[in-house]
Amino acid sequence: AQSVSQHNHHVILSEAASLELGCNYSYGGTVNLFWYVQYPGQHLQLLLKYFSGDPLVKGIKGFEAEFIKSKFSFNLRKPSVQWSDTAEYFCAVNGGSQGNLIFGKGTKLSVKP
Amino acid sequence: GAGVSQSPSNKVTEKGKDVELRCDPISGHTALYWYRQSLGQGLEFLIYFQGNSAPDKSGLPSDRFSAERTGGSVSTLTIQRTQQEDSAVYLCASSVSEWDRDTDTQYFGPGTRLTVL
């Protein structure tokens, strides 16, 4: 069965700090990988996705993620966070015959102004 | 264009009552998914529909939960004899088609917050 692990439950950073949120998945076949973000009081929004091709994908608001197949990882990065990045971030995967997404538990990011 | 919409946005009910939650997917999207988001459990898959195929119900936690999708569009999630542990935010998502991997990004609605007293 597929599973997704997000290593950090809560990350607290100051503005302009660099961000890296870890995500590992377990599945041996071809997968699609996603990062979703949920800002306070808002619904889930797609941040970026990887289906195939260049393993370094760029999303909205300066975020990027790198798919490393050998490590089963899809870590999210941003070189300089802003207060407005305060949100909860979810890594998700689907693959094989499964259309539904398997989500990680989420990482809450708090950015101090 | 319009996104996924869900109603009601909030629902408070008493233990033992039945509730119905509605989802309107993005027009033209053939795949529809239900998830729930609760403290401690994160986001859990419940059920999904793809076109006219039989739905995948593998995520439904008990037989008190059921869902239908009429005319390939609107979907209703029904919870019978609600329990306090059913309290959660129920999310609906849709995608163009799960079979087209280049376009099967799921777009989420705002959710229905269900509180069972």
Side-chain angles (χ1 to χ4, degrees):
Chain A
Q2 297 176 31
S3 66
V4 178
S5 297
Q6 291 184 243
H7 315 300
N8 310 103
H9 178 64
H10 191 185
V11 173
I12 302 173
L13 295 173
S14 297
E15 276 195 316
S18 64
L19 169 72
E20 181 160 2
L21 301 182
C23 173
N24 285 89
Y25 66 93
S26 65
Y27 183 70
T30 302
V31 293
N32 300 318
L33 297 155
F34 306 81
W35 276 97
Y36 281 86
V37 60
Q38 189 168 30
Y39 297 103
Q42 297 187 29
H43 61 279
L44 277 168
Q45 302 173 39
L46 181 70
L47 202 54
L48 49 78
K49 62 186 179 184
Y50 173 80
F51 286 164
S52 64
D54 188 344
L56 182 63
V57 291
K58 296 188 184 299
I60 60 172
K61 304 186 180 183
F63 285 90
E64 65 178 32
E66 185 174 13
F67 170 49
I68 302 179
K69 190 175 181 179
S70 61
K71 295 185 178 180
F72 297 90
S73 70
F74 191 56
N75 292 354
L76 180 71
R77 300 193 294 248
K78 185 171 183 178
S80 175
V81 295
Q82 301 173 308
W83 177 79
S84 58
D85 294 325
T86 294
E88 191 158 14
Y89 293 80
F90 295 90
C91 182
V93 62
N94 69 3
S97 60
Q98 281 188 288
N100 58 285
L101 293 169
I102 306 297
F103 283 91
K105 295 289 189 186
T107 297
K108 186 176 179 181
L109 173 65
S110 299
V111 180
K112 298 183 293 185
Chain B
V4 178
S5 61
Q6 293 185 247
S7 61
S9 55
N10 281 284
K11 177 72 176 178
V12 180
T13 190
E14 294 179 346
K15 178 181 173 181
K17 294 285 179 73
D18 298 351
V19 295
E20 286 189 351
L21 312 179
R22 177 188 167 105
C23 170
D24 283 88
I26 294 171
S27 177
H29 281 194
T30 62
L32 185 148
Y33 308 79
W34 284 98
Y35 298 85
R36 72 175 175 183
Q37 186 176 22
S38 54
L39 287 174
Q41 296 298 320
L43 275 150
E44 304 172 279
F45 160 71
L46 297 176
I47 185 171
Y48 82 77
F49 299 86
Q50 168 56 36
N52 296 321
S53 302
D56 179 343
K57 304 179 183 179
S58 59
L60 294 179
S62 78
D63 58 8
R64 295 186 296 104
F65 289 72
S66 62
E68 63 177 22
R69 189 177 185 192
T70 54
S73 181
V74 172
S75 178
T76 302
L77 177 70
T78 301
I79 309 173
Q80 296 178 310
R81 305 180 302 282
T82 52
Q83 303 294 312
Q84 289 182 330
E85 60 263 29
D86 299 334
S87 295
V89 177
Y90 289 81
L91 298 172
C92 178
S94 70
S95 66
V96 173
S97 168
E98 71 171 77
W99 309 120
D100 184 346
R101 291 185 173 278
D102 287 336
T103 57
D104 64 356
T105 298
Q106 293 180 30
Y107 297 90
F108 284 79
T112 293
R113 181 175 296 277
L114 174 67
T115 304
V116 182
L117 301 176

